[in-house]
Amino acid sequence: MKPGQTGTSENLTQAKELIRTARFGDAIFSLKQLLATEPEDDDRVEALYMLAVAQRYAKQPVMALATLDTLLGENPEYARAHQEQGHLYLALNRSEDATHAYASAVELNPALHASLKALVNLEQRAGRQQQAQPARERLDFLNRLPPELVNVLDLIHENKLYKAERLCRDYLQGHKHHIEAMRLLAEIGIRLGIYDDAEFLLESCVEFAPEYVQARIDYVNILIRKTRFEKAHEQARRLLELEPGNPGFQSTLATTLVGLGRFDEGIDLYKQVLDEQPGRHELHLQLGHAQKTTGLLDPAVESYREAYRHRPDFGDAYWSLANTKTYRFKDEELDLIRRYADSAGVAGNDRVHLCFAGGKALEDREDYAASFEYYEKGNALKLRQTGYRIEKMEARVQAQTDSCTHELFENRQGAGLDCRDPIFIVGLPRSGSTLLEQILASHSMVDGTMELHNILALAQRLRGRETEETSRYPGILHELDEDYFRRFGEQYIKDTRVYRAEAPLFIDKMPNNFLHIGLIRLILPNARVIDARRDPMACCFSCFKQLFGEGQEFTYGLQEVGRYYRAYVSLMDHWDRVLPGFVLRVMHEDVVEDLETQVRRILDFCGLPFEDACVNFHETERNIRTPSSEQVRQPIYRSGLEQWRNFEPWLDPLKEALGPEILGK
């Protein structure tokens, strides 16, 4: 904590009291003093917001707007700042500016009653009855909602999730089956990453109120997030039965079709919706992702371009182009990336995507210093968003090491399901795992699937809702009945069936499963596990310059990714000691240098006969969902092995985090 910050909360409380008692000049003076101490991010946001409010009450609208410009430049998604802008513009008789500000506010936080009311009045006064209707309907909805739940909704959109959860649970104590309260609690669970509880709540909502469309929409979305596409597809069809022809529900159905591997149907449906609504930038992006997965790279590139044409600051469109790994940005596209990456008011997620895209564009032009600046800025923004702490990961590794001992596996011999169907490929992202998957999936007896979340979900069930410090898992593995492990194995095989074709074996390429190899051994003792490993500097820097769709928060800092790699190596060494022979380590560099030898080694480990198709893996036509999809559609190449050296002048923090023991291996 910086000097002078110990009393920040007290200073903010005092400033609130000064505003409440109409001592606006004193409040302004106090808040400016507080801001001069460079408070932490959240306190700075609140101080700037309160300063703008005090300046408005003190009849200083120009200064208040300047304060809000600063606040929104740093935090463009802070809804109350947009609302405060609306109040100021309204006082200055700038009706159109006020309308725009209030609309931005309610888009970010639909529980802002004052913004909704002002928006309805402004649109009606301008004679725009149709434009006023959505705000009027939202206002009517809030007016029908119990005040406690309005507060919950507001807290959710202010990202005060634990306070919202307490208030929502308190309300449900007295109103056990209130559908909207259950839906809101599920939304809180999703934002906190407690997906199983959220799914249960939403499943209950649609059972109790089958006609309540919003609950069913949320239910479909959580099923998609959990990659439970078969069930999501069924629910998406139900939505279309409730509202036939709804383009939003059609695009959701398309997403479930793509998730089920029915790409042609999904792509056709995306195109059908876009024919009716060509301006939907996010749908062009989804179409591009589906096309890229099936190897239709040129159409995918055009879809991504179409996405940013409809919204020029749409960062994900630029990053998706960069993430093809083969696209080269034109000068005018790089100019757009630079412009919006540094523009005030661009949303945080867009800015992150733009920075990573800028890093890739400049790396391709061999401007490595400028490239690293963009990568570093994007990672810093993302790390700030996630709040990731590497200490939690290190504690999880220690817990696995402490609990998953020789004694555990000796005592549990014979437990689990006698099934050898799955081949798990684990490790860090960007370690060559997609290449190994493509090699194996080229075999006639192996189905390629995707990064399946099923093992992670089983581990989460065992962990419960407890903190890392008090978690039952993995210690609970010593306490469970042996039948429990067999049932977990059966559930895994049953739940993954939807992603398979007819081959006897299949691949689960979730890299994070390396944390749960002990659980895998207990529930599926005859499974095969392959550790895809790569040179630590090459792997870690490749992670650092990759923006992941979800998860992998450890990659957004050189120190973080270096320490994570160390923890990963430590745990894999532990598995080698307590489960000798259960894991096959495959070094990416060895595969590149001597492909056939490593292919034979991998196939022998999996109990599979040699097939030439595994060496000619790049000729295999299949759908690939990872960032390396285009790379593994080409023959082996060596050019990527040493790319990190172009950035070596800036990588001392990574070397320090890895340490000489790891770097010397």
Side-chain angles (χ1 to χ4, degrees):
M1 183 176 290
K2 296 175 183 177
Q5 286 184 343
T6 53
T8 299
S9 297
E10 291 85 348
N11 291 338
L12 288 170
T13 301
Q14 290 168 6
K16 278 183 188 175
E17 181 63 18
L18 290 170
I19 293 172
R20 190 186 69 80
T21 55
R23 296 167 60 189
F24 306 123
D26 292 340
I28 291 168
F29 179 78
S30 174
L31 289 163
K32 285 183 175 179
Q33 277 196 319
L34 174 58
L35 287 164
T37 67
E38 299 183 14
E40 296 287 352
D41 292 339
D42 289 347
D43 293 329
R44 175 174 168 79
V45 168
E46 188 170 359
L48 283 169
Y49 172 69
M50 289 170 59
L51 177 58
V53 171
Q55 288 168 330
R56 173 166 64 90
Y57 283 132
K59 310 297 184 190
Q60 300 173 5
V62 175
M63 297 181 72
L65 286 171
T67 299
L68 290 173
D69 284 344
T70 300
L71 174 53
L72 289 170
E74 297 172 5
N75 299 272
E77 297 176 3
Y78 188 46
R80 290 188 183 277
H82 289 282
Q83 176 173 267
E84 186 61 24
Q85 264 188 339
H87 295 338
L88 285 159
Y89 287 139
L90 202 56
L92 293 168
N93 292 317
R94 293 168 58 179
S95 297
E96 287 305 312
D97 288 334
T99 300
H100 183 268
Y102 286 131
S104 297
V106 298
E107 184 179 353
L108 293 164
N109 184 347
L112 291 178
H113 194 280
S115 288
L116 287 163
K117 190 174 180 180
L119 200 53
V120 170
N121 291 335
L122 285 165
E123 297 285 22
Q124 285 179 334
R125 275 164 40 192
R128 297 190 292 257
Q129 297 296 331
Q130 188 173 354
Q131 287 89 331
Q133 189 60 26
R136 187 184 296 109
E137 290 174 358
R138 185 69 192 177
L139 198 56
D140 290 343
F141 171 76
L142 290 182
N143 288 335
R144 292 194 305 271
L145 209 59
E148 297 93 333
L149 296 186
V150 175
N151 288 338
V152 169
L153 191 60
D154 182 47
L155 289 167
I156 289 172
H157 290 284
E158 291 288 310
N159 206 34
K160 298 174 181 176
L161 299 179
Y162 292 104
K163 191 173 181 180
E165 182 184 20
R166 285 196 302 273
L167 186 58
C168 197
R169 288 188 181 279
D170 287 345
Y171 185 81
L172 279 167
Q173 286 290 323
H175 308 80
K176 293 194 181 298
H177 294 136
H178 193 286
I179 298 300
E180 184 60 15
M182 292 168 64
R183 191 192 72 79
L184 289 173
L185 188 58
E187 183 174 345
I188 295 165
I190 291 168
R191 290 175 182 242
L192 290 172
I194 308 168
Y195 297 146
D196 286 349
D197 287 6
E199 181 186 349
F200 174 76
L201 283 163
L202 291 167
E203 186 175 27
S204 301
C205 284
V206 298
E207 287 179 3
F208 294 144
E211 305 300 314
Y212 187 27
V213 171
Q214 187 58 56
R216 197 174 294 276
I217 291 171
D218 291 354
Y219 186 37
V220 173
N221 288 337
I222 186 62
L223 291 170
I224 290 171
R225 184 183 285 266
K226 293 183 67 180
T227 67
R228 301 188 63 184
F229 291 112
E230 192 168 33
K231 204 167 185 179
H233 180 68
E234 174 191 325
Q235 292 300 320
R237 294 188 68 85
R238 289 289 304 276
L239 280 172
L240 275 170
E241 289 171 7
L242 291 170
E243 294 185 23
N246 183 306
F249 298 164
Q250 288 176 321
S251 59
T252 299
L253 183 65
T255 300
T256 67
L257 288 166
V258 168
L260 287 168
R262 294 161 60 179
F263 288 92
D264 290 344
E265 295 173 74
I267 287 170
D268 287 345
L269 191 49
Y270 280 139
K271 289 179 177 178
Q272 180 183 325
V273 177
L274 284 168
D275 285 342
E276 297 293 323
Q277 297 184 327
R280 289 187 59 182
H281 59 277
E282 81 291 348
L283 207 56
H284 286 288
L285 186 83
Q286 289 175 269
L287 172 61
H289 291 339
Q291 291 166 326
K292 178 191 169 192
T293 300
T294 59
L296 299 171
L297 186 59
D298 289 341
V301 164
E302 186 53 34
S303 293
Y304 295 145
R305 284 174 172 165
E306 197 65 21
Y308 81 66
R309 287 178 191 133
H310 286 285
R311 208 193 95 192
D313 67 347
F314 186 28
D316 205 348
Y318 300 98
W319 167 244
S320 296
L321 286 167
N323 204 30
T324 65
K325 308 302 181 189
T326 58
Y327 185 76
R328 297 297 179 263
F329 286 100
K330 297 176 174 60
D331 289 347
E332 56 268 28
E333 290 174 323
L334 182 54
D335 288 343
L336 286 170
I337 289 170
R338 283 173 160 151
R339 171 185 167 188
Y340 289 112
D342 297 323
S343 292
V346 172
N349 282 335
D350 287 311
R351 196 185 301 277
V352 169
H353 283 93
L354 287 160
C355 286
F356 277 90
K360 179 63 167 63
L362 290 161
E363 181 181 357
D364 290 338
R365 295 173 182 227
E366 300 184 5
D367 188 349
Y368 299 118
S371 171
F372 187 79
E373 281 186 26
Y374 271 105
Y375 282 138
E376 188 173 44
K377 182 178 178 182
N379 275 281
L381 288 168
K382 188 68 175 177
L383 189 63
R384 178 177 159 190
Q385 285 180 355
T386 64
Y388 180 77
R389 291 179 61 245
I390 186 61
E391 291 81 7
K392 288 188 176 182
M393 163 61 183
E394 291 167 337
R396 292 178 72 184
V397 166
Q398 189 62 52
Q400 292 286 337
T401 302
D402 292 344
S403 295
C404 296
T405 59
H406 284 289
E407 292 73 23
L408 171 66
F409 299 111
E410 287 175 4
N411 294 338
R412 298 296 188 175
Q413 281 193 18
L417 180 67
D418 184 11
C419 171
R420 63 182 296 265
D421 293 15
I423 302 170
F424 293 92
I425 300 178
V426 304
L428 264 66
R430 314 298 299 148
S431 62
S433 57
T434 303
L435 174 58
L436 299 188
E437 178 191 35
Q438 181 76 348
I439 289 168
L440 277 166
S442 300
H443 198 285
S444 62
M445 297 174 64
V446 183
D447 285 330
T449 59
M450 55 191 289
E451 294 183 358
L452 304 177
H453 288 72
N454 302 71
I455 292 294
L456 304 184
L458 293 174
Q460 181 62 46
R461 277 180 56 185
L462 292 173
R463 184 178 296 114
R465 294 198 55 192
E466 300 178 34
T467 64
E468 296 287 347
E469 294 76 16
T470 61
S471 173
R472 301 175 300 166
Y473 174 77
I476 196 173
L477 296 174
H478 290 269
E479 304 166 18
L480 297 173
D481 293 337
E482 289 202 359
D483 187 56
Y484 203 97
F485 299 115
R486 180 185 55 78
R487 286 188 283 114
F488 256 27
E490 289 172 347
Q491 182 178 343
Y492 173 84
I493 296 298
K494 173 176 175 288
D495 290 347
T496 54
R497 171 55 62 183
V498 67
Y499 306 110
R500 301 173 59 179
E502 301 303 322
L505 305 182
F506 72 99
I507 303 162
D508 181 340
K509 199 188 75 70
M510 172 56 71
N512 302 37
N513 282 338
F514 80 85
L515 276 163
H516 309 293
I517 288 174
L519 175 62
I520 290 171
R521 174 59 177 253
L522 291 170
I523 69 174
L524 294 161
N526 296 315
R528 301 291 190 274
V529 180
I530 297 173
D531 173 22
R533 193 172 296 190
R534 185 179 175 190
D535 172 84
M537 288 297 293
C539 183
C540 290
F541 184 67
S542 187
C543 284
F544 181 76
K545 65 179 188 174
Q546 177 69 41
L547 177 59
F548 293 92
E550 188 177 51
Q552 316 301 9
E553 288 92 351
F554 68 90
T555 64
Y556 300 118
L558 292 175
Q559 286 278 339
E560 284 76 12
V561 70
R563 287 173 63 179
Y564 190 98
Y565 190 98
R566 286 185 63 179
Y568 147 72
V569 169
S570 170
L571 185 56
M572 294 310 300
D573 288 347
H574 172 75
W575 298 131
D576 288 344
R577 288 191 296 272
V578 298
L579 295 170
F582 189 59
V583 178
L584 176 71
R585 182 153 304 113
V586 180
M587 296 299 299
H588 178 65
E589 292 76 12
D590 293 342
V591 177
V592 171
E593 291 300 327
D594 189 353
L595 175 62
E596 184 171 335
T597 296
Q598 292 303 313
V599 167
R600 290 184 180 278
R601 179 170 169 258
I602 292 165
L603 295 179
D604 285 347
F605 177 74
C606 295
L608 293 167
F610 178 79
E611 291 183 359
D612 287 331
C614 296
V615 176
N616 300 316
F617 61 87
H618 54 282
E619 298 175 1
T620 301
E621 293 186 7
R622 56 181 288 266
N623 302 315
I624 307 169
R625 301 171 190 254
T626 66
S628 304
S629 59
E630 293 312 304
Q631 293 162 303
V632 300
R633 291 188 172 109
Q634 305 166 26
I636 284 282
Y637 60 94
R638 294 170 172 77
S639 59
L641 295 180
E642 298 288 311
Q643 281 182 341
W644 68 272
R645 293 197 181 276
N646 295 321
F647 296 87
E648 191 166 10
W650 304 282
L651 299 184
D652 284 349
L654 175 57
K655 291 179 180 179
E656 179 186 339
L658 287 167
E661 182 182 348
I662 296 294
L663 291 173
K665 280 195 174 184

